[in-house]
Amino acid sequence: QQLLPLLPDEAGTGAMMIAITGALIGLGMWLIGARFSRPIVTLSAVAIGGLVGLLLPQWFGWSINGMGPAVGGAIVLGVWAFACHRFCIGIWLGAVMACWVGLGTWILLRDGQSWSWPVVDGSTTIATFCTDLWRALPPSVIKVLPYSAGAAMLSGICIAMMWPRAGVAITWSLAGVSLLVSMGLAAMKLKEPNWLGVMPAQTWAQAVTVIGLVAFGAVLQWKLAPVSKAPIAPAKAKAEGGE
């Protein structure tokens, strides 16, 4: 009920394709994402680094070709993501958890206020859009949201750093379920609104369903994720060699 007002109301070919594609990507992330975690994270970082490097001259008014910064950004960010895979997973897990905690904070503290997206026009930038979005929140949400989202982000990073394998499995399962639920709801709302009536109406039932999906995906990916083989200790290897 809280997610549906955030989704578009008018059906279009582009919106439907985005919703279906996002749901399929979420399904893959939920079931087998952890199996290919490091390559996907590295390639994503390469793409982000290349895009940021390409746009840097435009942002700062540099009179240079953007291909050089794009190549440099792709290499630097890609190498960093490959070497710091655990930390990248922690950031991603923390970001997804922060989004869910932010939604929960909005539901609990919105004081009956309805959601409304900021108006987007030709002069809108990312900074102005985020500023308008923040100012549209109720004061009670603004007071709590930075702390709740920050705690969720820190918790995600700590989980990934302390329990790497569990962190990878939980990250891909939670991110996949989040994308699958949001894009699946969007596809049903755009194409078959009657299907939404099949979903459980009680909030507790919806929460249990989402948690169950995340738990199932995490256990499945725990089994599918590759196990890193620890090197044999020198003393143990010498003892085995003497025998």
Side-chain angles (χ1 to χ4, degrees):
Q1 289 85 350
Q2 303 298 330
L3 284 175
L4 290 178
L6 308 181
L7 303 176
D9 296 323
E10 298 180 0
T13 304
M16 276 300 302
M17 290 300 298
I18 293 174
I20 294 175
T21 303
L24 293 177
I25 293 175
L27 180 63
M29 293 166 59
W30 173 48
L31 296 177
I32 60 173
R35 185 68 178 84
F36 310 97
S37 179
R38 188 181 293 269
I40 295 176
V41 170
T42 303
L43 292 176
S44 301
V46 169
I48 294 173
L51 180 60
V52 171
L54 187 65
L55 296 176
L56 277 179
Q58 179 181 350
W59 290 345
F60 293 97
W62 299 341
S63 57
I64 61 174
N65 194 317
M67 292 305 298
V71 174
I75 294 175
V76 171
L77 203 59
V79 172
W80 176 80
F82 183 84
C84 304
H85 172 255
R86 186 188 302 183
F87 185 67
C88 293
I89 288 295
I91 294 176
W92 191 6
L93 176 58
V96 178
M97 291 175 60
C99 290
W100 280 105
V101 169
L103 178 63
T105 304
W106 159 262
I107 294 173
L108 295 175
L109 303 176
R110 60 179 180 148
D111 295 331
Q113 181 173 332
S114 60
W115 181 271
S116 60
W117 289 102
V119 179
V120 179
D121 52 28
S123 61
T124 302
T125 63
I126 297 178
T128 59
F129 180 83
C130 294
T131 302
D132 294 340
L133 186 63
W134 178 256
R135 291 175 178 174
L137 297 175
S140 55
V141 176
I142 292 178
K143 291 180 181 179
V144 178
L145 185 58
Y147 302 101
S148 60
M153 172 65 77
L154 184 60
S155 300
I157 295 175
C158 291
I159 290 173
M161 298 301 290
M162 296 175 62
W163 302 286
R165 191 179 178 192
V168 170
I170 295 173
T171 298
W172 285 99
S173 180
L174 181 59
V177 169
S178 302
L179 191 59
L180 180 62
V181 169
S182 58
M183 293 294 101
L185 287 175
M188 285 189 288
K189 184 178 181 181
L190 293 174
K191 189 65 176 178
E192 296 291 342
N194 295 331
W195 291 2
L196 296 174
V198 180
M199 301 184 63
Q202 297 82 2
T203 302
W204 66 266
Q206 297 173 359
V208 169
T209 301
V210 172
I211 294 174
L213 291 174
V214 173
F216 174 80
V219 172
L220 177 63
Q221 298 199 67
W222 175 278
K223 300 295 184 180
L224 295 178
V227 181
S228 58
K229 297 181 179 179
I232 302 176
K236 184 177 180 181
K238 184 176 180 180
E240 292 178 352
E243 294 176 359

